[in-house]
Amino acid sequence: MNDDQWVRTWRVGAQEPGTVLLDGFHALKHALRFGGDVRQVLTADRAALLALAAELAEDVGPALDRLAVELPEAQLRELVPRLHPTGVIALAARPTAAANLAALAHRPRTAPVVLLENPRNLGNVGAVIRLAAGFGATGVVTTGVLDPWHPTVVRGSAGLHFATAVERLELPELPAGPLYVLDPEGADIRTTAFPDDALLAFGTERHGVSDELKARADHLVAVPMQPGVSSFNLATSVAMGLFHWMSGRPPGRPGPPR
């Protein structure tokens, strides 16, 4: 195909339901590494892209060599709001809700599920998903109107949505497991161990968790803060919760298989 045909193919693919924009090398790398269905890869410099893969991620080099198509940078800038400095964009298929729900519901669960109740900040949600992938959490569930697969969230996670199950649900749809809600009124986190099948729930920085979620909780847990400090950043709170869980596991014990 010529350049214009590749652009038309991109525009059609980008409008298909369930399509995910992968913005930059690292998002694309992680999608390929964790089995994402990458449909199209466009780059301003194919040789530079393959050299970057050889330097940082040899495992995805063959897939990039097969998929990457070089187009003028000016054309790429017409396809995305802001071209990543690595000069590469890609389209992938979002995992099906059925696949994510199956991963979240699988028992016995060997790592917690992170629940974000009504999050507001796209970048924070991306950072949480990146943390969840790094700690080997089973998945991240959000409630509310924010789409956890929004392009800004995927950018913030560096494409690590494909390394864990990410889904938006209502509270009655939560996967089974003991619910630990992070709340200032809870018991000191240092006195409570999180089991592997826990749901770790976090509210917004301004309002915390809802009364409805508190009522569903099996345990309320608090991270100690100095007087006068109103809250921790959401991603920081999730990092502390997941590190607390991991600290209670034997060294070298694997997380959930991917």
Side-chain angles (χ1 to χ4, degrees):
M1 291 194 291
N2 61 34
D3 290 358
D4 290 339
Q5 288 172 321
W6 282 117
V7 168
R8 285 196 294 271
T9 298
W10 175 280
R11 294 189 187 281
V12 171
Q15 297 302 313
E16 292 180 358
T19 296
V20 178
L21 171 64
L22 302 174
D23 189 13
F25 174 75
H26 294 293
L28 174 57
K29 171 191 71 178
H30 286 134
L32 291 170
R33 178 172 290 165
F34 291 100
D37 181 8
V38 177
R39 304 283 177 83
Q40 189 173 359
V41 178
L42 301 180
T43 177
D45 189 333
R46 192 175 189 279
L49 173 64
L50 296 179
L52 188 61
E55 178 185 358
L56 300 179
E58 289 185 352
D59 57 310
V60 305
L64 286 178
D65 190 30
R66 174 173 51 84
L67 291 167
V69 174
E70 184 172 303
L71 290 182
E73 183 175 321
Q75 285 189 300
L76 297 185
R77 291 187 181 279
E78 293 177 0
L79 298 176
V80 291
R82 178 164 55 103
L83 185 63
H84 192 274
T86 54
V88 60
I89 55 177
L91 297 177
R94 174 176 173 168
T96 66
N100 280 332
L101 292 174
L104 292 167
H106 179 76
R107 304 300 293 271
R109 194 160 58 232
T110 59
V113 171
V114 174
L115 168 62
L116 305 181
E117 186 185 30
N118 196 23
R120 310 296 175 84
N121 185 282
L122 295 166
N124 264 343
V125 176
V128 167
I129 292 167
R130 190 168 184 170
L131 284 165
F135 279 102
T138 294
V140 176
V141 169
T142 66
T143 68
V145 299
L146 183 147
D147 178 9
W149 283 85
H150 186 282
T152 301
V153 182
V154 176
R155 186 183 183 113
S157 81
L160 283 163
H161 283 62
F162 293 92
T164 190
V166 178
E167 199 62 47
R168 178 169 52 182
L169 300 173
E170 301 297 330
L171 288 184
E173 300 173 314
L174 295 180
L179 178 59
Y180 289 73
V181 172
L182 275 288
D183 183 81
E185 299 176 1
D188 190 314
I189 193 172
R190 293 169 293 185
T191 68
T192 304
F194 293 157
D196 290 347
D197 64 344
L199 278 72
L200 305 181
F202 302 82
T204 63
E205 294 164 17
R206 176 173 296 182
H207 301 293
V209 296
S210 66
D211 291 339
E212 180 184 1
L213 186 57
K214 280 188 187 181
R216 296 173 63 93
D218 296 295
H219 306 273
L220 296 180
V221 182
V223 175
M225 286 188 295
Q226 292 296 312
V229 178
S230 57
S231 68
F232 290 115
N233 172 271
L234 175 61
T236 301
S237 297
V238 174
M240 288 188 286
L242 288 174
F243 183 79
H244 180 69
W245 160 71
M246 181 174 280
S247 297
R249 292 164 62 88
R253 185 176 174 186
R258 293 297 302 169

